Structures are given as structure tokens and as C-alpha cells.
């Protein structure tokens, strides 16, 4: 079946603009995660959705970051008033069995 | 807070040889999962192998196997018969039991020499 998909693949924006990143999880996966990967580093957890439960937002670095998920489907990560330090690859993952997470190809965000 | 440490920023191995990547972690939990993910230049994170902490038997997936030492909080990955396609960044990761976030190490860049 189809894996996790993300769009856009690459996004270049100017400092101060808002951006929206999209994630389509694997069908039937109830859990969805967002991570950030800065150049040459490991992944940092941002936010986690599980079914109808309140999301775990403990990894969001500032109030400029927010995310939504519609039911058990698409999620959107929004970054407002982007800063150069937001430049990174943003990875989405989904999970069905509450253990292994399956990742999408990521969105590379460049803030000029 | 849980932490994951990969002490080898880079490793290299000759094609067809065996290589071991190291990982240690810190947690006060007794039930958890450990993972190795591979990230080639395409940046897609690919699950290589996973280990449930309550299982004493080491996980194996074809040429990939782990050495899980729970008391020592060590979780190394052994790649046998290395192939050129194994070249990638390898990340060790931890999660608490039950749909919890992954905590990643800093990664080890593996180079395969032909």
C-alpha cells in the first residue's frame, strides 16, 4: 500500500512569511507524528496526534508553530512568521501498532 | 528524560565485511522499544530493526541483527556482509511503550568501501 506522503517536497520562503506543510499518513494509522531535522543532526520531536485524544505538543519550539489533524487523516504543520532558524527538514511519521513509526520523505524548508 | 547516545559520528567498512554501530540510552522505564533507522541521501527514514525491551532474544532481520544489553542500556546494530546500498546515516531511537514519541541519537554515517 501507499506510504506516508508529504508536500511540498521543498519549500523556499522569505523570513516573516507563514508556511504550511502537509502530511498524508498511511491509511488506517491512528497515530501521527511531526519531527524536525536540522542539517547534520538527529530528529527532534515536535507534536503527536493519537486518535481523538488531545495532541502532545510538548516538542513545539515556540508559539509560532502549530499543527492540526482532521480525524485520522491529513495533518498540517503551520509555521508563522518564519525565521532563518526554522530552516530544516520536517518529517512526518505514522503508526498503527503503537511501536514502529513509518516516515514520509520530508519537506525541506529554507527560510531566506 | 530519556536520552540516546551514538558515540561514533562516522564508520567505514569494506564491502562484504561486518560492521557494528554502537548506541547507548538512558531511561528509568522498564518497558520500552528500541529502533534502528536508516536514512540514505534521499532523506527517507527507513525502519531497519526494532527490539521490545521485555524480549531477551535479540532481534534479527536478514543481514541486520542487534545486541541488546538491557542492564547496560546498550543497543548495537551489526550489519553482516555489508553492501554498497547500506551506505547511509543510521539513527538509534527509543520510545516508551504505547505510541510515544521517538527520541533519536545524533546518528552514525556509514560508508561502504568497494
Amino acid at each position: 500500500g501507499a506510504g506516508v506522503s508529504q508536500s511540498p517536497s521543498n519549500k523556499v520562503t522569505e523570513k516573516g512569511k507563514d508556511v504550511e506543510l502537509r502530511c498524508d499518513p498511511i491509511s488506517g494509522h491512528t497515530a501521527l507524528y511531526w519531527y524536525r531535522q536540522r542539517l547534520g543532526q538527529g530528529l527532534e520531536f515536535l507534536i503527536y496526534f493519537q486518535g481523538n485524544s488531545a495532541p502532545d505538543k510538548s516538542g513545539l519550539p515556540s508559539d509560532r508553530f502549530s499543527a492540526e489533524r482532521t480525524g485520522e487523516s491529513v495533518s498540517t504543520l503551520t509555521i508563522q512568521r518564519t525565521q532563518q532558524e526554522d530552516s530544516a527538514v520536517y518529517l512526518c511519521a505514522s503508526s498503527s501498532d503503537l511501536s514502529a513509526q513509518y516516515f514520509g520523505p520530508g519537506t525541506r524548508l529554507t527560510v531566506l | 528524560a530519556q536520552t540516546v547516545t551514538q558515540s561514533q559520528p562516522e564508520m567505514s567498512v569494506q564491502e562484504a565485511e561486518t560492521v557494528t554501530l554502537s548506541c547507548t540510552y538512558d531511561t528509568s522505564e522498564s518497558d520500552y522499544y528500541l529502533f534502528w533507522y536508516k536514512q540514505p541521501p534521499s532523506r527517507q527514514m527507513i525502519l531497519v530493526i526494532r527490539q521490545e525491551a521485555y524480549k531477551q532474544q535479540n532481534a534479527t532481520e536478514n543481514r541486520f541483527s542487534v545486541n541488546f544489553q538491557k542492564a547496560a542500556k546498550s543497543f548495537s546494530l551489526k550489519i553482516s556482509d555489508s553492501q554498497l546500498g547500506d551506505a547511509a546515516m543510521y539513527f538509534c531511537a527509543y520510545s516508551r511503550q504505547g505510541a510515544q514519541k521517538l527520541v533519536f541519537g545524533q546518528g552514525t554515517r556509514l560508508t561502504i568501501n568497494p
Side-chain angles (χ1 to χ4, degrees), chain A residues 55-75:
Chain A
D56 176 355
K57 304 179 181 180
S58 61
L60 294 178
S62 78
D63 59 7
R64 296 186 296 104
F65 288 72
S66 63
E68 293 183 347
R69 186 181 187 194
T70 306
E72 293 184 353
S73 60
V74 172
S75 176

Side-chain angles (χ1 to χ4, degrees), chain A residues 4 23-34 47-56 69-75 92-102, chain B residues 98-100:
Chain A
V4 178
C23 172
D24 281 275
I26 294 171
S27 179
H29 280 196
T30 57
L32 186 148
Y33 308 78
W34 284 98
I47 188 169
Y48 153 57
F49 297 90
Q50 171 61 50
N52 294 320
S53 301
D56 176 355
R69 186 181 187 194
T70 306
E72 293 184 353
S73 60
V74 172
S75 176
C92 175
S94 69
S95 175
S96 65
D97 63 358
L98 308 186
S99 63
Q101 296 178 23
Y102 297 90
Chain B
Q100 300 291 331

Side-chain angles (χ1 to χ4, degrees), chain A residues 9-10 33 35 37 41-43 45 48 50 58 89 91 97-108, chain B residues 33 35 37 39 42-47 50 89 91 95-107:
Chain A
S9 177
N10 291 282
Y33 308 78
Y35 294 87
Q37 185 178 28
Q41 298 189 18
L43 279 70
F45 166 77
Y48 153 57
Q50 171 61 50
S58 61
V89 175
L91 290 153
D97 63 358
L98 308 186
S99 63
Q101 296 178 23
Y102 297 90
F103 284 81
T107 294
R108 182 180 299 280
Chain B
Y33 297 98
F35 306 87
Y37 281 88
Q39 187 179 41
S42 67
R43 81 177 180 232
Q44 176 92 43
M45 294 287 284
I46 301 167
L47 177 64
R50 68 175 167 182
M89 284 290 289
F91 291 96
S95 76
R96 290 171 58 188
Q97 192 177 38
Q100 300 291 331
K101 65 182 181 183
L102 288 169
V103 178
F104 286 85
Q106 291 299 299

Side-chain angles (χ1 to χ4, degrees), chain B residues 16-88:
Chain B
E17 298 286 305
T18 295
V19 64
T20 299
L21 308 184
S22 301
C23 173
T24 58
Y25 59 94
D26 187 26
T27 183
S28 59
E29 304 286 332
S30 59
D31 291 326
Y32 49 87
Y33 297 98
L34 295 164
F35 306 87
W36 280 97
Y37 281 88
K38 167 185 176 181
Q39 187 179 41
S42 67
R43 81 177 180 232
Q44 176 92 43
M45 294 287 284
I46 301 167
L47 177 64
V48 175
I49 199 165
R50 68 175 167 182
Q51 175 82 42
E52 291 93 336
Y54 67 88
K55 290 186 177 179
Q56 292 187 339
Q57 185 172 6
N58 289 324
T60 299
E61 290 287 342
N62 300 315
R63 297 183 295 107
F64 299 86
S65 61
V66 298
N67 183 4
F68 174 46
Q69 301 289 329
K70 191 172 184 179
K73 296 181 181 175
S74 171
F75 183 62
S76 61
L77 175 69
K78 185 172 81 171
I79 306 174
S80 303
D81 184 26
S82 299
Q83 300 176 1
L84 295 178
D86 295 334

